Amino acid sequence: MKKLLATAAAASLAALTACSVSVPDNDADSAPPSQPEPGPTRTSAAVGGSAGTPSPSPAQGTKAACELFNSLFERYAAVPPDDSEGYEDVYLQAEEAKGTVSGDLRGLFASLSLLAIDRSGSAGSGSGAAQESEDAVRDAVFANAGTCTDAGVTLRL
């Protein structure tokens, strides 16, 4: 079981680093902007919706994602320190939520799943999660604070 948890933690860390914020390259600033290539024109209703069902606006999706993160983090914080199964449940819920969002919001759930699985592995020993896992959640919250605030949600740790 511990090998499975360690493998899952390593995979989550790899996924989290893929979601990290990058710094723009200064050489790219001197290059002329590229022209978008022409593509097919859509004449149908909004993507993801049908004629009778409006699709949710990005702000509504962002708000729901931010509220879900707050809810999952509260569940994580409420798990007793020696309950590895409780942390695994939070891990699974965060992994599921990660699949429902895109962009930087994925980092919120990726970091929380990493923290939960890390804490699950150390639950029996009495030690806490690794500092790197805690830092990853903090960094993801700071990276998404503006987006969530714009959607009307304040991220909590």
Side-chain angles (χ1 to χ4, degrees), residues 3 14 22 30 35 40 44 49 52 54 56 64-65 69 71 90 98 113-114 126 134:
K3 281 189 175 191
S22 63
S30 62
Q35 296 295 324
S44 62
F69 173 82
S71 172
V90 172
K98 183 174 73 173
S113 68
L114 172 66
E134 293 176 358

Side-chain angles (χ1 to χ4, degrees), residues 5-152:
L5 294 176
T7 304
S12 294
L13 183 59
L16 181 60
T17 46
C19 295
S20 66
V21 179
S22 63
V23 178
D25 184 11
N26 288 338
D27 293 336
D29 292 341
S30 62
S34 62
Q35 296 295 324
E37 294 185 24
T41 306
R42 290 194 177 232
T43 58
S44 62
V47 175
S50 64
T53 308
S55 58
S57 71
Q60 289 174 331
T62 300
K63 181 176 182 172
C66 297
E67 289 173 341
L68 179 58
F69 173 82
N70 281 343
S71 172
L72 286 175
F73 193 81
E74 286 176 21
R75 288 182 196 163
Y76 166 81
V79 174
D82 61 345
D83 184 6
S84 64
E85 288 184 17
Y87 291 118
E88 288 175 20
D89 288 342
V90 172
Y91 163 78
L92 293 172
Q93 292 169 351
E95 282 293 304
E96 183 179 321
K98 183 174 73 173
T100 65
V101 296
S102 62
D104 288 341
L105 290 172
R106 288 181 56 89
L108 281 173
F109 297 105
S111 64
L112 182 56
S113 68
L114 172 66
L115 180 63
I117 203 71
D118 184 17
R119 190 70 188 265
S120 172
S122 64
S125 68
S127 62
Q131 186 64 44
E132 293 85 5
S133 299
E134 293 176 358
D135 291 346
V137 173
R138 182 201 63 219
D139 293 346
V141 166
F142 285 136
N144 287 284
T147 302
C148 290
T149 300
D150 290 345

